[in-house]
Amino acid sequence: MHPLCRTSRHRQPVPPGTYHGLVTEPRKRVLLAKPRGYCAGVDRAVQTVEEALKLYGAPVYVRKQIVHNKHVVSTLEARGAIFVEENYEVPEGSTVVFSAHGVAPEVHEQARERNLKAIDATCPLVTKVHHEAKRFAAEDYDILLIGHEGHEEVIGTAGEAPAHIQLVDGPDDVDNVVVRDPAKVVWLSQTTLSVDETMETVARLKTRLPLLQSPPSDDICYATSNRQHVIKEIAPDCDVVIVVGSTNSSNSVRLVEVALGAGARAGHLVDYASEIQDEWLAGATTVGVSSGASVPEDLVMEVLAHLADRGFGEVTEYTTAEERLTFSLPQELRRDMKAAAAARAAN
């Protein structure tokens, strides 16, 4: 917790300052959202690259950005990770890590053809959606995948059953949907979407396809939902909301949108505190702060320090959920770590 934080679970609008009936300067404060930052899937993916570098030595190749965060990628590059777009850029026989967003089956096949040592850091919650896609495709369903065109997670999921999956990119795309049998249709979704917009898309789909089935459990991940929920709670009291995250991070971009939709007067996405413009804070008394699920906490602390230097030294952490979920490292990496430990013990 930030040293100046005090915790709260309830919004408490603060009236302008008064002292013996005299109007004083309005109190400047920060509402700090919790949960924020790293989710279990991101933590697992970043640890995977870090442990692979320790175990195998540099370089370790990573297909796509391991997570969508500029700072995380540059930090891992400095330690010896090499980020590539496709498997053919990886020298034959080398180690390659697949990103948290998941890959299509053909990517695994390409790795085998090049004799690559592949470590799959796909978030288990994304893997769950892949399994759903395969199961419904095997039962010959038409699958409506709600997500953003071109996003790596969508590409990976669609690759599990391309003949059965069609993308629905938001509510306005619903009219383009064509299915073979309206009685045999199911929707799935990208895990990092806006909860409200996804439900609006589903509602519109159901007006056209009343027999549309839902996934067995929510596809939007717990971390995305939790971060959106707390932003909704604090946004009505905020003159401006600052979300720490990269522009290619879907869940970070959604946080700004959710904040604005919930009543924040302004919202901005930044990678670093240095990107905050003083004019954003002009006239503001309450600033909301959160971060996307791929953002390390030290970047948030730098934002709080930046705000404190500009008079926003009072920080109240507003908590709506506690997150304790963790995921184990990929089994292929754990196996090699265990073997290496056994070899050291034997020497």
Side-chain angles (χ1 to χ4, degrees), residues 277-335:
Q277 299 177 26
D278 285 343
E279 52 262 39
W280 297 350
L281 307 177
T285 58
T286 301
V287 177
V289 174
S290 186
S291 58
S294 51
V295 176
E297 181 69 358
D298 58 338
L299 297 184
V300 177
M301 294 300 106
E302 289 174 9
V303 166
L304 294 182
H306 181 96
L307 292 172
D309 287 343
R310 285 150 182 80
F312 294 87
E314 178 186 323
V315 180
T316 301
E317 189 171 58
Y318 186 86
T319 304
T320 57
E322 297 289 345
E323 294 179 350
R324 296 183 175 87
L325 182 65
T326 59
F327 294 129
S328 59
L329 293 171
Q331 60 179 359
E332 51 272 76
L333 180 59
R334 282 186 282 120
R335 182 181 60 241

Side-chain angles (χ1 to χ4, degrees), residues 100-128:
H101 309 101
V103 298
E106 65 180 6
V107 175
H108 288 279
E109 182 57 35
Q110 292 164 359
R112 285 190 288 269
E113 290 172 357
R114 293 185 60 77
N115 193 32
L116 302 180
K117 182 178 185 62
I119 300 173
D120 190 354
T122 300
C123 173
L125 300 180
V126 174
T127 300
K128 176 184 79 74

Side-chain angles (χ1 to χ4, degrees), residues 38 42 46 64-79 81 83 101 152 243-252 269-275 292-296 298-299 302:
Y38 269 13
V42 164
V46 174
K64 308 291 187 183
Q65 291 188 0
I66 186 67
V67 296
H68 285 160
N69 183 265
K70 185 187 298 185
H71 178 77
V72 170
V73 170
S74 62
T75 300
L76 292 174
E77 282 179 328
R79 296 180 185 178
F83 291 85
H101 309 101
E152 288 157 35
V243 174
V244 187
S246 295
T247 55
N248 64 337
S249 166
S250 177
N251 76 89
S252 299
L269 182 68
V270 300
D271 272 294
Y272 299 102
S274 59
E275 297 172 12
S294 51
V295 176
D298 58 338
L299 297 184
E302 289 174 9

Side-chain angles (χ1 to χ4, degrees), residues 31-328:
L31 296 182
L32 179 60
K34 185 181 178 182
R36 62 182 177 274
Y38 269 13
C39 63
V42 164
D43 192 40
R44 172 183 187 263
V46 174
Q47 280 191 53
T48 295
V49 179
E50 292 172 341
E51 293 297 333
L53 285 166
K54 291 178 191 175
L55 185 61
Y56 309 122
V60 166
Y61 293 84
V62 184
R63 184 184 179 276
K64 308 291 187 183
Q65 291 188 0
I66 186 67
V67 296
H68 285 160
N69 183 265
K70 185 187 298 185
H71 178 77
V72 170
V73 170
S74 62
T75 300
L76 292 174
E77 282 179 328
R79 296 180 185 178
I82 296 177
F83 291 85
V84 301
E85 287 299 304
E86 299 297 345
N87 284 337
Y88 66 77
E89 300 173 63
V90 182
E92 289 198 23
S94 299
T95 298
V96 62
V97 178
F98 296 148
S99 80
H101 309 101
V103 298
E106 65 180 6
V107 175
H108 288 279
E109 182 57 35
Q110 292 164 359
R112 285 190 288 269
E113 290 172 357
R114 293 185 60 77
N115 193 32
L116 302 180
K117 182 178 185 62
I119 300 173
D120 190 354
T122 300
C123 173
L125 300 180
V126 174
T127 300
K128 176 184 79 74
V129 182
H130 281 229
H131 289 326
E132 291 170 353
K134 288 187 286 188
R135 177 167 72 83
F136 284 111
E139 296 173 7
D140 202 30
Y141 275 78
D142 278 343
I143 301 168
L144 306 181
L145 178 59
I146 302 172
H148 296 302
E149 186 171 6
H151 191 280
E152 288 157 35
E153 183 185 327
V154 165
I155 293 170
T157 302
E160 294 287 1
H164 289 264
I165 292 177
Q166 59 184 296
L167 179 66
V168 183
D169 195 344
D172 294 339
D173 201 23
V174 168
D175 291 341
N176 298 321
V177 169
V178 178
V179 300
R180 295 170 299 160
D181 181 357
K184 205 165 187 181
V185 188
V186 65
W187 69 270
L188 304 177
S189 84
Q190 183 181 327
T191 62
T192 55
L193 299 179
S194 160
V195 175
D196 291 342
E197 183 177 308
T198 300
M199 291 303 98
E200 180 185 347
T201 303
V202 171
R204 288 200 192 185
L205 284 169
K206 286 186 174 180
T207 62
R208 291 195 57 205
L209 302 163
L211 299 180
L212 177 70
Q213 295 189 37
S214 299
S217 60
D218 288 344
D219 284 346
I220 296 178
C221 87
Y222 75 96
T224 296
S225 299
N226 286 346
R227 282 149 189 72
Q228 289 177 19
H229 177 66
V230 67
I231 276 288
K232 280 185 181 180
E233 290 291 308
I234 67 173
D237 289 336
C238 294
D239 298 300
V240 58
V241 168
I242 295 172
V243 174
V244 187
S246 295
T247 55
N248 64 337
S249 166
S250 177
N251 76 89
S252 299
V253 173
R254 300 290 86 73
L255 282 177
V256 177
E257 294 174 353
V258 169
L260 292 171
R265 266 68 80 192
H268 303 280
L269 182 68
V270 300
D271 272 294
Y272 299 102
S274 59
E275 297 172 12
I276 298 172
Q277 299 177 26
D278 285 343
E279 52 262 39
W280 297 350
L281 307 177
T285 58
T286 301
V287 177
V289 174
S290 186
S291 58
S294 51
V295 176
E297 181 69 358
D298 58 338
L299 297 184
V300 177
M301 294 300 106
E302 289 174 9
V303 166
L304 294 182
H306 181 96
L307 292 172
D309 287 343
R310 285 150 182 80
F312 294 87
E314 178 186 323
V315 180
T316 301
E317 189 171 58
Y318 186 86
T319 304
T320 57
E322 297 289 345
E323 294 179 350
R324 296 183 175 87
L325 182 65
T326 59
F327 294 129
S328 59

